[in-house]
Amino acid sequence: MRPSDRAFSDPAAERVLILDFGSQFTQLIARRVRESGVYCEIWPYNADPLRIAAFAPRAIILSGGPASVSEETSPRVPAEVFAAGVPVLGICYGEQAMCAALGGAVESGHGREYGRAQFELTEPSPLFAGVWEPGARADVWMSHGDRVSRLPPGFRSIGISVNAPFAAIADDARRYYGLMFHPEVVHTANGAAILRNFTHAIAGCSGAWSMAGFADSAIARIRAQVGQGRVICGLSGGVDSAVTALLVHRAVGERLTAIFVDHGLLRAGEAEEVAETFRGRFNIRLVHRDASALFLAALEGVTDPEQKRKTIGRLFVEVFEEEAKKLGGAEYLAQGTLYPDVIESASPAGGPSVTIKSHHNVGGLPERMGFALIEPLRELFKDEVRELGRALGLPEGIVGRHPFPGPGLAIRIPGAVTPEKLSLLRRADSIFLEEIRAAGLYDAIWQAFAVLLPVKTVGVMGDGRSYDHALALRAVTSTDGMTADAYPFAPTFLSRVSGRIVNEVPGINRVTYDVTSKPPGTIEWE
């Protein structure tokens, strides 16, 4: 067994637990920790103490949060955290809650710091070893309205900011540390190195966790769960379901059947690529159900975007169930649930989601189908799924594909969906992506797509007037899928793309580029 296998499969080895107090940045903490080769999970702050003990974390991180420690109903740090005898790092609210629990004091409504701030390291500490020396100043990201006013016994101040005299604190004997700034965000200089010091130098993690090790242990778990049973998996054309299908196939071989419900709302060539990849390249049993006519008929005249989602989700479930019944005898359903889905849909007690996420089908399969779930990706973030797909040999065209919502092109057509509009949008979207790839920009962009606007414009083309559709192009950059900025295309690029679309797609006479950014809180940009 390789070190990476041990790091994942042994519940007592190299696991970090992140207790979530509600910060919008909590997932970023987990991403930074995993990027350093250490496995971690995010649980609610009020997780069952017995569950925490069974997890046996090597260290615990307390996230930030929107509450104030001075409020009677504010979240508290479970006593079991400090009884575990492992290093603890409190971030923002996590530092305040830790100080309050251990005998310190927090001032409410004082020391407001939001956004960029100057941090000064005042004392040496293993938390900052190799990052900054005492006296150094650096830009950090703050987001707090309260501040620690008195340290608990055993703690010392090791860093300050303008409004936080205890911007970094340490109890080296117990290996407890606190930061009022957020090391997990890219705006904090060397934040990843600070977190690495905590997990590696202070907590003693080796950083051996890897996707190769994850794949081996995941395959072993699937085999143990399934035994000699049969599995079905729904393919959507996206990377999550593709990696799920390939991973399960490695585990059970011909006892997996993939069902691809083609709703006719995919991008140009994607349906054919899915069929060719899984049948031709990987020799996976695939049921390809072309239900495009059924979906289009159901969407006729539907203009409300949420109603579109519900209609597509309902039909997906019905068609999937119909094909599953034809197969007969399958006991297990594999789905591409990711870790953000688990976190976002968890109950306050940390219960996992038992429905298929909206990215795939917007529905959730009914319990009457009676399948036991296999969710091999539920511990991974999107970028980790891509890395796993590459390790499994999935083609880069699928692994690196931009995120695509389950309802497909239907929600990129405001108003009623018609075959004519789908044809226009699909061709224009294809040209946009062709030009992005030709310019070598595809991998630098998180997501790019076209939207057929619900308006027509009057224009002059050649010697005649035209009254045709207007189109909007969107492209965003992102490091985490939670926030995004518009990609700064050169004017010459946009001119070339718009010229091609207007000339090559009859029915479109105007193209605009959307320069708005995406606020935090959602994964998909639609």
Side-chain angles (χ1 to χ4, degrees):
M1 180 178 286
R2 295 176 299 192
S4 55
D5 293 326
R6 288 196 300 271
F8 183 81
S9 60
D10 183 358
E14 302 213 346
R15 291 170 175 256
V16 169
L17 177 61
I18 301 168
L19 292 183
D20 183 17
F21 288 87
S23 170
Q24 61 178 321
F25 303 133
T26 303
Q27 290 191 31
L28 294 183
I29 302 173
R31 290 174 63 87
R32 300 297 173 256
V33 171
R34 290 189 180 191
E35 286 168 2
S36 70
V38 177
Y39 181 72
C40 65
E41 291 188 11
I42 300 172
W43 294 2
Y45 72 91
N46 58 351
D48 186 341
L50 294 178
R51 187 179 175 215
I52 294 176
F55 189 71
R58 185 69 65 88
I60 297 174
I61 298 176
L62 311 175
S63 85
S68 173
V69 171
S70 62
E71 299 170 354
E72 291 185 5
T73 58
S74 62
R76 304 295 175 177
V77 181
E80 292 75 19
V81 168
F82 305 114
V86 301
V88 179
L89 172 64
I91 297 175
C92 196
Y93 181 87
E95 177 190 311
Q96 297 171 7
M98 177 170 63
C99 287
L102 296 176
V106 177
E107 288 182 319
S108 178
H110 295 279
R112 288 168 57 91
E113 288 180 303
Y114 294 99
R116 294 186 186 277
Q118 277 279 305
F119 169 79
E120 180 183 349
L121 184 66
T122 57
E123 298 289 339
S125 168
L127 191 63
F128 295 98
V131 179
W132 300 314
E133 294 294 330
R137 295 188 176 187
D139 288 332
V140 298
W141 189 262
M142 296 282 196
S143 183
H144 63 91
D146 299 348
R147 68 181 182 185
V148 175
S149 58
R150 185 183 72 247
L151 291 180
F155 279 85
R156 64 189 176 101
S157 174
I158 57 175
I160 62 174
S161 67
V162 173
N163 289 321
F166 304 116
I169 60 175
D171 180 335
D172 298 301
R174 291 183 288 183
R175 297 182 296 173
Y176 294 167
Y177 300 88
L179 299 172
M180 282 307 299
F181 61 85
H182 290 269
E184 67 272 24
V185 303
V186 295
H187 307 82
T188 293
N190 300 315
I194 296 170
L195 288 172
R196 183 183 178 90
N197 276 345
F198 177 71
T199 56
H200 290 62
I202 295 172
C205 297
S206 66
W209 187 71
S210 70
M211 280 300 102
F214 176 89
D216 292 343
S217 56
I219 289 170
R221 287 200 305 272
I222 293 169
R223 286 175 179 160
Q225 180 181 358
V226 173
Q228 295 302 309
R230 294 171 58 190
V231 185
I232 61 173
C233 176
L235 282 177
S236 67
V239 63
D240 304 339
S241 63
V243 172
T244 297
L246 193 51
L247 196 63
V248 174
H249 184 254
R250 293 283 175 87
V252 303
E254 293 184 356
R255 286 181 286 120
L256 166 70
T257 300
I259 300 176
F260 174 36
V261 177
D262 182 359
H263 51 29
L265 305 171
L266 295 176
R267 291 170 288 201
E270 285 189 343
E272 295 79 8
E273 184 180 11
V274 169
E276 171 57 29
T277 297
F278 288 92
R279 278 184 182 147
R281 180 163 183 167
F282 295 110
N283 197 30
I284 293 177
R285 296 179 59 189
L286 176 67
V287 174
H288 181 183
R289 169 71 181 275
D290 184 354
S292 54
L294 180 65
F295 278 83
L296 277 174
L299 290 171
E300 185 176 358
V302 178
T303 59
D304 180 72
E306 285 306 308
Q307 188 59 40
K308 287 181 185 178
R309 285 180 173 275
K310 291 177 181 178
T311 300
I312 294 168
R314 173 181 56 79
L315 279 179
F316 182 97
V317 171
E318 291 175 1
V319 174
F320 188 95
E321 186 174 14
E322 182 180 327
E323 295 301 324
K325 285 181 178 178
K326 292 178 184 178
L327 295 173
E331 302 96 340
Y332 296 91
L333 169 69
Q335 65 179 43
T337 305
L338 301 192
Y339 198 39
D341 305 310
V342 175
I343 297 168
E344 290 165 6
S345 59
S347 69
S353 168
V354 294
T355 59
I356 286 188
K357 62 178 184 172
S358 63
H359 176 75
H360 283 296
N361 58 39
V362 205
L365 292 183
E367 293 183 5
R368 67 173 181 271
M369 295 185 71
F371 291 112
L373 286 180
I374 298 174
E375 299 174 306
L377 309 182
R378 64 180 287 114
E379 296 144 335
L380 302 183
F381 290 100
K382 190 78 169 187
D383 56 338
E384 294 172 328
V385 174
R386 296 189 193 281
E387 184 182 348
L388 177 59
R390 293 184 179 99
L392 294 171
L394 200 62
E396 188 62 31
I398 292 180
V399 172
R401 181 176 291 162
H402 289 173
F404 192 60
L409 298 179
I411 57 167
R412 294 175 181 173
I413 300 176
V417 178
T418 67
E420 176 205 11
K421 290 180 180 178
L422 278 171
S423 179
L424 292 176
L425 180 58
R426 188 174 283 118
R427 179 59 184 138
D429 187 74
S430 177
I431 291 172
F432 187 30
L433 295 178
E434 283 175 13
E435 289 293 335
I436 287 174
R437 288 191 173 94
L441 301 175
Y442 190 84
D443 292 337
I445 294 171
W446 171 265
Q447 191 177 45
F449 56 89
V451 176
L452 194 65
L453 298 177
V455 296
K456 284 190 173 184
T457 63
V458 176
V460 176
M461 300 184 67
D463 296 323
R465 291 189 177 276
S466 68
Y467 181 59
D468 288 319
H469 292 278
L471 185 86
L473 303 177
R474 287 180 176 175
V476 295
T477 60
S478 178
T479 58
D480 50 40
M482 295 296 292
T483 61
D485 293 317
Y487 186 83
F489 286 117
T492 52
F493 175 88
L494 293 174
S495 178
R496 182 169 64 253
V497 172
S498 60
R500 278 197 62 189
I501 291 174
V502 170
N503 285 318
E504 298 177 29
V505 187
I508 296 176
N509 69 357
R510 183 162 306 220
V511 177
T512 183
Y513 180 58
D514 184 353
V515 296
T516 58
S517 294
K518 172 187 171 187
T522 55
I523 296 297
E524 295 174 356
W525 177 291
E526 301 168 359

